[in-house]
Amino acid sequence: MHPTATDWGPGYERRVIPNPDRNEPRLNRFLIKLGRALAANEKRRKLPDWTHMDQTMRLIVDGWCESINVDELQWPILCFLTTPALAKFLSLCAPPRWKAHQDERTLERKIMRLGLIRIPKGRIRHVHKKGDRIHFS
């Protein structure tokens, strides 16, 4: 059955009236499939073991969206740092979590692989150390 002019209301929005005779069996089939998928363990991905993961990447994930304390120091929110600034910051930490000679593109690829997204505006581009304090600009 095709919609007629009476099926269209003000603003040309179609009035949808659910048909319980057709929708209930579909919903039941969907719920049965969902229950089977949730009960199946063989295709389920395992959660990462954070103790055997690269600890630098673990700290980046922890501090990506919120500020964290590492070695009794308050870290900034890492999504504001550009990749060169993040690499510099990680190399200035005690103990260093990134080596100065390592390529920054490797760090960027790891961040992209984790699916982390940066804040597009107001990024921190420069990191430097004066005395025992790290400054961001």
Side-chain angles (χ1 to χ4, degrees):
M1 183 171 147
H2 296 286
T4 62
T6 59
D7 291 333
W8 299 88
Y12 302 109
E13 293 179 15
R14 184 177 173 192
R15 294 184 195 148
V16 178
I17 301 170
N19 184 349
D21 296 332
R22 293 183 68 201
N23 291 335
E24 192 170 339
R26 282 187 195 156
L27 178 61
N28 288 340
R29 284 194 305 272
F30 169 75
L31 292 175
I32 289 169
K33 286 181 183 178
L34 178 63
R36 285 183 187 149
L38 291 174
N41 289 332
E42 59 273 356
K43 292 184 181 179
R44 193 175 296 177
R45 295 170 90 192
K46 293 185 179 182
L47 294 174
D49 184 8
W50 291 103
T51 57
H52 291 85
M53 186 180 175
D54 179 8
Q55 293 302 305
T56 301
M57 295 315 297
R58 184 180 145 265
L59 289 171
I60 289 173
V61 169
D62 286 343
W64 193 254
C65 293
E66 60 185 36
S67 182
I68 60 171
N69 289 323
V70 178
D71 300 328
E72 299 180 12
L73 294 173
Q74 183 76 23
W75 278 26
I77 299 173
L78 299 180
C79 65
F80 288 117
L81 296 169
T82 60
T83 303
L86 180 60
K88 177 78 170 177
F89 171 67
L90 292 172
S91 67
L92 293 175
C93 291
R97 304 194 186 278
W98 190 260
K99 295 180 179 112
H101 64 82
Q102 285 180 293
D103 190 8
E104 297 162 356
R105 291 178 293 178
T106 306
L107 181 61
E108 179 63 27
R109 282 192 292 266
K110 287 182 177 186
I111 290 170
M112 289 176 61
R113 221 175 290 129
L114 289 169
L116 301 175
I117 299 172
R118 284 200 166 82
I119 301 295
K121 293 184 180 180
R123 287 195 178 170
I124 298 170
R125 299 183 190 287
H126 303 285
V127 178
H128 56 279
K129 191 171 188 175
K130 287 185 181 176
D132 61 342
R133 299 199 59 163
I134 298 175
H135 298 275
F136 302 93
S137 57

